[in-house]
């Protein structure tokens, strides 16, 4: 029996169940989701190289103007504080015009790639400092973990693919490469820029192809990490639905509070209709609050005796009417107006009560 108990505890703690929607939402709030950084890198590189392909003349003009100003204007200026300031501002402006569009394209591509993978998600949880991140023991485990080995294999595979693609493109254009020494500086730069863009686009497509497999692996690894044990499912169900013991205590406390409020209303009642031992119904008529008399308290057995005791302590008139008391108890709740079929009987009782109060 002891071994059986240990086995049950082991299997109940083993994470074999798929994560529930609540578990996924909690993980997402912490910034944990299936995402491949390789997809981001590949899409950003592809977008940048495609932009360079269509904006080569624009970038070439900026670079040419930068070299022209440097060699024909800046090198002939006297080195003073004012000239240094002017040169710095001009260079920063030219560099901004050169790199600004490229960085903007990279930013937009990064946002699109993240949106494709995880949608809209904003959380500051990953930015919060955690001491476990600098724990040397956990860091050592991460270095020699299965995930680290997978990342190493991915890096080797990416380097191999990019290196092979670069070699193939250079080999296919070997004549253009060998003829660079016979060309002018401008033609050589144009040839090298063309080959660089070709290699960049091809390498980006290869990385994008590999990143699809990485995304599938990241998704599998994420699903594996958020798996739940049977005990986790039970605990989550308790947290969502509430512990039955706590719920019963809450309901008991609510009943006690409702009974106290009900008993506080009994002294304000106009009449208590009884079935002398089992039922007690306290009624009040307030034309400003309700058009008909309404029930302020009702009870059976012990609660009925308590209502009658409080009514007696506060000089509330009690009228015995067995069928009326039972019918009112079964047909109306506390705060409800008395049903219409009882209006005549209630009116006679209230008239009797008011006569007694007038006599008193």
């Amino acid at each position: 029996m002891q071994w059986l108990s240990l086995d049950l505890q082991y299997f109940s703690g083993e994470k074999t169940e798929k994560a529930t929607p609540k578990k996924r939402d909690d993980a997402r709030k912490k910034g944990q989701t299936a995402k491949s950084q390789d997809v981001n890198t590949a899409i950003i590189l592809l977008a940048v190289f495609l932009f360079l392909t269509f904006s080569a003349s624009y970038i070439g003009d900026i670079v040419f103007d930068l070299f022209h100003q440097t060699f024909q204007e800046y090198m002939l200026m006297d080195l003073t504080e004012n000239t240094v300031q002017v040169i710095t501002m001009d260079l920063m402006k030219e560099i901004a015009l050169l790199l600004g569009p490229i960085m903007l394209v990279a930013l937009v591509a990064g946002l699109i790639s993240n949106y494709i993978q995880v949608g809209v998600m904003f959380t500051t949880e990953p930015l919060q400092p955690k001491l476990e991140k600098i724990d040397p023991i956990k860091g050592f485990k991460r270095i020699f973990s299965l995930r680290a080995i997978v990342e190493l294999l991915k890096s080797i595979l990416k380097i191999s693919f990019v290196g092979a693609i670069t070699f193939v493109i250079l080999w296919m254009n070997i004549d253009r490469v060998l003829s660079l020494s016979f060309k002018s500086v401008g033609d050589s730069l144009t040839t090298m820029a063309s080959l660089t863009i070709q290699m960049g686009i091809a390498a980006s497509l290869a990385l994008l192809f590999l990143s699809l497999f990485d995304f599938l692996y990241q998704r599998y690894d994420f699903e594996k990490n958020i798996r739940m044990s049977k005990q986790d499912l039970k605990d989550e169900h308790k947290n969502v639905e509430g512990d039955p013991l706590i719920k019963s205590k809450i309901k008991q406390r609510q009943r006690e509070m409702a009974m106290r409020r009900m008993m506080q209303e009994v002294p304000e009642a106009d009449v208590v209709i009884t079935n002398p031992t089992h039922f007690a119904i306290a009624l009040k008529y307030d034309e400003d609050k309700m058009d008909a008399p309404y029930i302020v308290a009702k009870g059976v057995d012990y609660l009925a005796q308590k209502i009658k005791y409080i009514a007696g302590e506060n000089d509330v008139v009690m009228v015995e009417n067995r069928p009326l008391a039972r019918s009112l108890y079964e047909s109306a709740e506390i705060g409800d107006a008395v049903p219409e079929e009882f209006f005549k009987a209630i009116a006679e009782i209230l008239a009797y009560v008011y006569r007694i109060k007038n006599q008193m």
Side-chain angles (χ1 to χ4, degrees), residues 58-69:
Y58 166 77
I59 295 175
D61 293 340
I62 294 178
V63 173
F64 180 78
D65 292 341
L66 185 60
F67 278 103
H68 182 272
Q69 289 182 348

Side-chain angles (χ1 to χ4, degrees), residues 301-328:
D301 295 333
Y302 169 76
L303 195 56
Q305 299 300 324
K306 192 168 184 179
I307 291 174
K308 290 192 292 183
Y309 174 78
I310 295 175
E313 290 289 322
N314 292 272
D315 297 328
V316 178
V317 178
M318 288 182 281
V319 176
E320 180 180 338
N321 190 323
R322 299 189 179 188
L324 181 60
R326 180 182 291 271
S327 299
L328 285 174

Side-chain angles (χ1 to χ4, degrees), residues 58-250:
Y58 166 77
I59 295 175
D61 293 340
I62 294 178
V63 173
F64 180 78
D65 292 341
L66 185 60
F67 278 103
H68 182 272
Q69 289 182 348
T70 300
F71 290 107
Q72 289 195 354
E73 296 181 16
Y74 299 151
M75 294 184 67
L76 300 178
M77 291 183 178
D78 295 331
L79 187 61
T80 63
E81 182 178 351
N82 292 331
T83 57
V84 170
Q85 184 177 1
V86 171
I87 293 172
T88 302
M89 295 301 296
D90 289 344
L91 289 177
M92 290 180 65
K93 178 182 176 181
E94 294 296 329
I95 292 173
L97 293 174
L98 177 65
L99 299 180
I102 299 175
M103 297 178 66
L104 180 61
V105 169
L107 175 62
V108 173
L111 293 175
I112 292 174
S113 61
N114 277 283
Y115 179 78
I116 292 173
Q117 295 186 80
V118 301
V120 179
M121 182 178 68
F122 178 78
T123 177
T124 59
E125 183 72 19
L127 301 178
Q128 296 179 3
K130 295 181 180 179
L131 295 177
E132 60 183 17
K133 292 183 179 180
I134 58 175
D135 188 348
I137 299 177
K138 292 185 177 180
F140 185 80
K141 290 181 179 179
R142 284 195 295 266
I143 293 174
F144 295 95
S145 63
L146 177 62
R147 189 179 185 87
I149 296 174
V150 172
E151 294 295 329
L152 175 62
L153 294 177
K154 281 167 44 183
S155 300
I156 295 174
L157 191 61
K158 287 187 287 186
I159 292 172
S160 302
F161 263 66
V162 173
I165 290 171
T166 304
F167 174 78
V168 170
I169 293 177
L170 289 176
W171 184 258
M172 292 173 61
N173 296 274
I174 189 65
D175 295 335
R176 298 174 64 187
V177 175
L178 294 177
S179 63
L180 287 176
S181 59
F182 303 102
K183 294 182 179 181
S184 64
V185 175
D187 292 338
S188 298
L189 291 175
T190 302
T191 301
M192 288 189 293
S194 175
L195 292 175
T196 301
I197 291 176
Q198 290 181 35
M199 289 185 291
I201 293 176
S204 301
L205 292 174
L207 291 176
L208 184 61
F209 174 74
L210 292 176
S211 67
L212 297 178
F213 294 98
D214 180 64
F215 177 74
L216 294 177
Y217 168 75
Q218 297 295 340
R219 193 168 183 175
Y220 161 78
D221 187 60
F222 174 73
E223 294 292 336
K224 181 181 177 181
N225 289 332
I226 65 172
R227 282 179 186 171
M228 304 174 68
S229 63
K230 296 184 183 297
Q231 185 62 40
D232 292 337
L233 292 174
K234 292 180 181 178
D235 294 340
E236 182 181 292
H237 180 73
K238 283 185 178 180
N239 292 332
V240 173
E241 299 296 331
D243 192 329
L245 181 60
I246 296 177
K247 288 177 67 177
S248 64
K249 289 184 178 179
I250 292 175

Side-chain angles (χ1 to χ4, degrees), residues 38-54:
D38 291 349
V39 174
N40 295 353
T41 303
I43 292 178
I44 291 173
L45 286 176
L46 183 59
V48 169
F49 279 110
L50 288 175
F51 173 76
L52 293 176
T53 301
F54 295 103

